[in-house]
Amino acid sequence: MLTANRSDIGRVRQVNEDQAWVGQLGNGITLAIVADGMGGHQAGDVASQKAVDAFRSMLEQSAAKSDLSVQEGKMLIRQAITQANEAVFELASHNELYHNMGTTIVAALVKRDNAIIGHVGDSRAYKITEGAITQLTNDHTLVNELVKSGQLSVEEAAHHPRRNVLTRAVGTDSHVEIDVQAVEWSPHDVLLLCSDGLSNMVSEQEMLQTVRTEQLELEAKADHLIQLALHAGGDDNITVVILQEAAGTNREG
């Protein structure tokens, strides 16, 4: 699996409150997570780091078995995000500086023929295949709820002043509802995880064109996406993780 992991503070923020991690296990499973933290003075970067650490430590141990089923993978993603929620909530509960801090999470567990996606908040997962891009996740935001209920159009939502208000986040409550799904995965597919610093600034068409550009290596594609978000204003931290099967290699197994 080829992977790229890029993050940028953007043009406005004083601190990068995004965190991302990609890991590959010996059994052929690739793990990835993007977390976009929020809170008072530097609490957001503490929340996202704490969440990523908790997620990583659990899955590096638990997902390493050789014949992980889809159901087991879904359960593990759910457990890892639950563990991240508990870790952030506990820290916030015992430290006044971190009161009410939280973070989004979008995470993936990718194996040979499927990818399991878990998410809370408005960081997104996209699947790019055969010249098409599909948003896999459903933003947990106030504005998205208004779109779903027909009170706002998609166009209105894109520019709504409260579009960043979350209805769910990791670490703000003792329990969190987590969306988990499995999607088919083939060697031609590309998975893109990002914080809203990318998805609010860069269109799906621009994402698709960048990922489909054959002249660029995967890391250069991630860099280009960040540059597009910066050129569009860069008013938030920007984080991009891209996963793609090693193109043109014959892989045994």
Side-chain angles (χ1 to χ4, degrees):
M1 184 79 75
L2 298 173
T3 68
N5 176 3
R6 288 287 187 269
S7 191
D8 192 281
I9 195 169
R11 298 194 184 279
V12 176
R13 300 296 178 91
Q14 303 300 308
V15 176
N16 191 346
E17 296 185 323
D18 289 358
Q19 289 285 341
W21 170 75
V22 181
Q24 302 197 54
L25 306 183
N27 59 353
I29 283 176
T30 301
L31 302 168
I33 180 172
V34 170
D36 177 358
M38 62 198 190
H41 178 66
Q42 298 217 341
D45 61 327
V46 172
S48 57
Q49 183 68 62
K50 192 82 177 167
V52 168
D53 289 347
F55 175 92
R56 175 180 179 174
S57 65
M58 192 204 139
L59 278 186
E60 280 188 319
Q61 296 165 2
S62 310
K65 58 179 286 190
S66 58
D67 53 347
L68 197 70
S69 70
V70 172
Q71 284 310 114
E72 285 173 318
K74 283 178 156 181
M75 185 185 70
L76 286 178
I77 282 272
R78 194 178 295 281
Q79 287 177 343
I81 296 176
T82 298
Q83 198 147 311
N85 187 76
E86 290 169 358
V88 175
F89 182 74
E90 185 179 1
L91 186 60
S93 302
H94 294 110
N95 189 322
E96 190 61 37
L97 278 177
Y98 301 146
H99 183 60
N100 276 343
M101 75 174 176
T103 183
T104 71
I105 282 181
V106 62
L109 185 161
V110 183
K111 50 207 285 284
R112 187 175 308 147
D113 52 4
N114 59 73
I116 295 158
I117 312 294
H119 93 288
V120 178
D122 62 354
S123 293
R124 292 181 179 177
Y126 293 92
K127 180 179 167 184
I128 295 160
T129 184
E130 301 299 330
I133 182 168
T134 306
Q135 183 181 330
L136 301 175
T137 50
N138 197 357
D139 292 349
H140 300 140
T141 57
L142 183 64
V143 162
N144 196 39
E145 293 299 322
L146 295 173
V147 170
K148 288 196 288 185
S149 65
Q151 295 175 64
L152 275 183
S153 71
V154 173
E155 291 73 24
E156 289 169 329
H159 303 288
H160 197 280
R162 302 191 68 200
R163 67 180 183 273
N164 295 328
V165 177
L166 299 177
T167 53
R168 274 189 238 173
V170 168
T172 52
D173 294 289
S174 56
H175 296 283
V176 66
E177 190 181 343
I178 303 159
D179 288 2
V180 179
Q181 61 178 309
V183 296
E184 290 184 357
W185 178 256
S186 83
H188 307 293
D189 296 339
V190 176
L191 189 65
L192 188 156
L193 308 182
C194 66
S195 62
D196 66 340
L198 184 79
S199 55
N200 282 343
M201 291 286 168
V202 178
S203 70
E204 289 189 0
Q205 196 57 38
E206 288 173 309
M207 293 183 202
L208 178 62
Q209 285 171 347
T210 301
V211 169
R212 300 287 292 173
T213 303
E214 293 183 5
Q215 292 88 340
L216 296 178
E217 297 289 329
L218 204 62
E219 292 186 352
K221 292 176 182 181
D223 287 333
H224 183 67
L225 287 170
I226 284 181
Q227 290 303 317
L228 288 174
L230 290 171
H231 286 313
D235 59 8
D236 200 353
N237 309 144
I238 311 148
T239 299
V240 183
V241 168
I242 311 177
L243 307 180
Q244 177 186 332
E245 290 289 343
T249 58
N250 294 317
R251 299 184 60 192
E252 296 296 329

